């Protein structure tokens, strides 16, 4: 049996404050899992912040309720896992899911390509009006 | 993230302390626009105390580079920390935004 070694979470309105709060949770996570190598911390944290920023910048509400962001991050014996969700959100447009790196003049559009380069697996789920990114990185 | 800048004889140095994320990116654009509008188009962004950058922060640096070049100057980066270096390399932007060890070295060759 494998068990979760450390866990942190965040739930709140999808806004700029959420990005800083999620980053603080990531920093705190490593205090509880000091064995995780610096390279894994750095790559995983970058991917989680990119996914959260994608929600804050692009997720549109499905109805009247505003979009909320929910992040669950956990450390397993050989794996880091993050579930980054947008509650009350519309299904993303196919164009927003473009994961190729744009040309060097572009000032946006690198987030998804960067996420794919940083983690081992990226899964997207939509269920009951919630969009969830599941990011894993083998350590 | 906190930004500050200092105008020297041959270049202006912009320093950012903290996380260059989607919150800080528009502020960086504002600060560099102000520096360039003030007549300093040779800009060094000192990242020695920037411990994190995401794709929004990178986008802002690219926008600032374009603004400096349009004004006849250039934008260079200095003091790059490991996470920022990683993002530059994974996005192939290390070829466009050349990193110098220090702000003094960034325009030291011309």
């Amino acid at each position: 049996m494998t068990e979760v070694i450390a866990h942190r979470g965040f739930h709140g309105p999808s806004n700029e404050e959420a990005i800083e709060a999620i980053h603080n949770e990531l920093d705190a996570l490593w205090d509880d899992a000091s064995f995780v190598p610096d390279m894994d911390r750095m790559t995983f944290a970058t991917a989680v912040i990119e996914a959260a920023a994608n929600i804050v910048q692009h997720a549109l509400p499905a109805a009247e309720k505003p979009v909320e962001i929910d992040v669950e991050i956990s450390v397993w014996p050989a794996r880091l896992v993050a579930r980054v969700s947008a509650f009350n959100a519309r299904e993303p447009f196919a164009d927003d899911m473009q994961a190729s790196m744009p040309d060097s003049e572009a000032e946006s559009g690198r987030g998804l390509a960067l996420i794919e380069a940083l983690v081992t697996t990226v899964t997207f789920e939509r269920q009951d009006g919630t969009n969830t990114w599941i990011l894993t990185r083998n350590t | 993230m906190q930004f500050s800048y200092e105008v020297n004889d041959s270049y202006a140095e912009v320093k950012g302390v903290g996380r260059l994320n989607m919150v800080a990116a528009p502020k960086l654009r504002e600060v560099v626009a102000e520096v360039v509008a003030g007549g300093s188009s040779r800009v060094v962004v000192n990242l020695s105390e920037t411990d994190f950058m995401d794709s929004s922060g990178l986008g802002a640096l690219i926008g600032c580079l374009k603004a400096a070049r349009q004004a006849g100057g250039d934008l260079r980066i200095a003091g790059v920390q490991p996470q920022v270096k990683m993002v530059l390399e994974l996005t192939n932007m290390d070829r466009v935004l050349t990193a110098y060890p220090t702000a003094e070295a960034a325009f030291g060759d011309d």
Side-chain angles (χ1 to χ4, degrees), chain B residues 6 9 20 53 78-79 91 103 107:
Chain B
E6 193 181 320
D9 288 344
L20 183 47
M53 178 179 77
T91 53
F107 284 104

Side-chain angles (χ1 to χ4, degrees), chain B:
Chain B
M1 183 170 211
Q2 295 295 319
F3 291 103
S4 59
Y5 69 87
E6 193 181 320
V7 179
N8 301 324
D9 288 344
S10 59
Y11 63 88
E13 179 181 344
V14 175
K15 189 164 187 180
V17 177
R19 301 166 179 158
L20 183 47
N21 55 18
M22 63 164 284
V23 185
K27 295 180 197 161
L28 174 64
R29 289 176 190 265
E30 281 172 28
V31 171
V32 172
E34 187 180 317
V35 167
V36 172
S40 303
S41 60
R42 284 153 56 99
V43 180
V44 184
V45 180
N46 184 341
L47 298 170
S48 60
E49 290 182 56
T50 299
D51 50 27
F52 180 89
M53 178 179 77
D54 67 6
S55 61
S56 305
L58 175 61
L61 276 180
I62 296 164
C64 294
L65 170 69
K66 287 197 255 181
R69 287 186 176 167
Q70 273 162 15
D74 201 6
L75 179 139
R76 298 175 184 178
I77 56 174
V80 170
Q81 299 302 301
Q83 189 275 348
V84 174
K85 183 168 183 280
M86 174 190 77
V87 169
L88 289 168
E89 288 173 354
L90 287 174
T91 53
N92 297 317
M93 290 306 294
D94 51 333
R95 297 169 202 169
V96 179
L97 287 160
T98 312
Y100 292 82
T102 62
E104 295 76 29
F107 284 104
D109 58 345
D110 53 25

Side-chain angles (χ1 to χ4, degrees), chain A residues 83 85-89 91 124-132:
Chain A
R83 294 178 62 88
S85 303
F87 284 68
N88 314 323
E91 193 165 359
F124 177 81
E125 282 180 5
R126 178 166 173 85
Q127 202 170 17
D128 300 331
T130 300
N131 300 328
T132 302

Side-chain angles (χ1 to χ4, degrees), chain A residues 42-52 84 114-115 118-119 135, chain B residues 52:
Chain A
M42 198 165 84
T43 49
F44 184 69
T46 308
V48 171
I49 294 300
E50 286 290 344
V84 184
L114 193 54
I115 291 172
L118 290 164
V119 293
L135 313 177
Chain B
F52 180 89

Side-chain angles (χ1 to χ4, degrees), chain A residues 2-136:
Chain A
T2 53
E3 285 181 10
V4 174
I5 294 163
H7 172 266
R8 292 275 170 166
F10 173 86
H11 187 111
S14 173
N15 59 26
E16 290 185 345
E17 286 75 37
I19 298 297
E20 299 290 1
I22 292 163
H23 211 137
N24 293 340
E25 292 299 331
L26 280 160
D27 286 348
L29 180 72
W30 312 130
D31 293 340
D32 301 336
S34 57
F35 65 92
V36 177
D38 285 348
M39 177 58 84
D40 292 313
R41 296 178 189 206
M42 198 165 84
T43 49
F44 184 69
T46 308
V48 171
I49 294 300
E50 286 290 344
N54 183 282
I55 288 172
V56 172
Q57 288 171 314
H58 300 296
L60 297 170
E64 282 178 21
K65 278 189 188 172
V67 175
E68 290 175 9
I69 189 164
D70 186 276
V71 177
E72 301 294 330
I73 39 181
S74 51
V75 178
W76 297 73
R79 206 158 42 112
L80 304 170
V81 181
R83 294 178 62 88
V84 184
S85 303
F87 284 68
N88 314 323
R90 269 189 229 171
E91 193 165 359
F93 294 112
D95 285 357
D96 290 339
M97 304 292 275
Q98 183 59 253
S100 59
M101 208 60 89
D103 71 53
S104 64
E105 291 278 301
E107 294 178 35
S108 62
R110 291 184 180 80
L112 296 193
L114 193 54
I115 291 172
E116 294 208 335
L118 290 164
V119 293
T120 312
T121 67
V122 182
T123 313
F124 177 81
E125 282 180 5
R126 178 166 173 85
Q127 202 170 17
D128 300 331
T130 300
N131 300 328
T132 302
W133 301 86
I134 303 160
L135 313 177
T136 72

